[in-house]
Amino acid sequence: MPQEVFYLILFLVAFLYASVGHGGASGYLALMALYGIAPEEMKPTALILNLFVSLTSFIQYYNRGYFLKKMFLPIASTSIPMAFIGGMINIDATLYKRILGFLLLFPILRFFFFKNIPDTNLKPCNLTLAMATGGSIGLFSGMIGIGGGIILSPILLLLHWTNQKQTAAISAAFIFVNSLAGLAGMLTQGISITSGMAFYIVIAFTGGMLGAYFGAGKFHQNVLKYILASVLVMASYKLLFTSA
């Protein structure tokens, strides 16, 4: 495919993922694999793009009051060190990706076929479970080069801890800190950064900024639910049926 198509898809991936508070690493990894970018370049590139897109998304949701600091802190307290450790590990993550892709099918069914969670039905988070969840996702994140929001989002919603927009705000912050920690772990092992990365950042940042704006302030909750479900469908397909 022409390079222009790569840039267009990169923009659309950033837009779609940012609209639900995601950084888009799984989409970037799939796209780079299709274009034959070397694996050792894919993980750091995806995480750097994650940093810019998730930060943009977080700012939009934070400014509208959707960020729940008390819920984010226990999750992030364990995910950050584990993402750093995961970034230091060089491991074939194919089996992990297949398992994760299968597990994503369950929240996909939930988002497509069950009603939204009213704010009145939200439950307080369990501190122990929140910390265990953050640590587990953080390790995965560092190992396979994602921010982890695509795993955290369905968990928060299925446990009735947050609604869609609160989930997006927490996921965006979660992705940012995990991507930063994972990238730091990779730096200890040496990473490759492409010369064209700056242009990728400009495109992803623009798409992410627009996606976050519409996701935080314009889209209805029902729209967000189906967007998030669509994101998970794409991620599940990528994890189950591609080798990247």
Side-chain angles (χ1 to χ4, degrees):
M1 290 184 286
Q3 191 69 21
E4 291 78 10
V5 176
F6 176 92
Y7 296 140
L8 175 61
I9 297 175
L10 179 64
F11 175 88
L12 294 174
V13 167
F15 180 92
L16 179 59
Y17 276 63
S19 70
V20 290
H22 290 174
S26 59
Y28 305 143
L29 288 171
L31 179 58
M32 287 187 284
L34 289 174
Y35 273 80
I37 296 175
E40 60 270 18
E41 297 177 0
M42 288 169 57
K43 287 173 61 176
T45 301
L47 289 179
I48 290 173
L49 294 177
N50 251 8
L51 289 175
F52 284 88
V53 175
S54 62
L55 180 60
T56 301
S57 185
F58 171 72
I59 290 171
Q60 292 287 344
Y61 281 96
Y62 179 84
N63 287 340
R64 288 169 172 79
Y66 295 119
F67 181 62
L68 303 179
K69 182 179 178 181
K70 290 184 178 180
M71 186 172 295
F72 170 74
L73 289 177
I75 298 173
S77 67
T78 51
S79 74
I80 293 172
M82 294 305 291
F84 179 81
I85 293 172
M88 298 173 64
I89 299 174
N90 294 317
I91 186 171
D92 182 0
T94 300
L95 177 60
Y96 292 99
K97 291 181 181 181
R98 298 296 183 265
I99 295 173
L100 178 57
F102 175 76
L103 293 177
L104 286 178
L105 296 175
F106 294 94
I108 288 168
L109 293 175
R110 184 254 178 267
F111 296 142
F112 272 128
F113 299 107
F114 291 86
K115 295 181 180 180
N116 285 323
I117 301 167
D119 289 2
T120 54
N121 291 345
L122 296 179
K123 302 175 181 179
C125 75
N126 179 290
L127 182 62
T128 302
L129 181 57
M131 295 179 69
T133 299
S136 301
I137 298 174
L139 183 63
F140 264 115
S141 300
M143 287 171 58
I144 63 177
I146 61 174
I150 204 164
I151 312 173
L152 179 65
S153 292
I155 292 175
L156 293 178
L157 290 167
L158 288 170
L159 291 175
H160 289 211
W161 287 354
T162 54
N163 62 30
Q164 258 85 21
K165 292 194 176 183
Q166 291 168 345
T167 298
I170 292 172
S171 294
F174 184 77
I175 290 166
F176 181 82
V177 297
N178 281 345
S179 297
L180 195 61
L183 197 59
M186 290 179 195
L187 284 171
T188 66
Q189 306 298 308
I191 60 175
S192 298
I193 298 178
T194 65
S195 58
M197 189 178 295
F199 194 42
Y200 296 169
I201 290 171
V202 171
I203 294 172
F205 180 77
T206 303
M209 185 167 55
L210 291 173
Y213 172 75
F214 283 103
K218 302 295 181 181
F219 289 159
H220 188 271
Q221 286 259 338
N222 283 334
V223 176
L224 282 175
K225 181 182 75 170
Y226 294 121
I227 289 176
L228 181 54
S230 299
V231 169
L232 294 176
V233 167
M234 290 188 295
S236 180
Y237 178 83
K238 183 261 178 185
L239 290 164
L240 286 170
F241 300 111
T242 70
S243 59

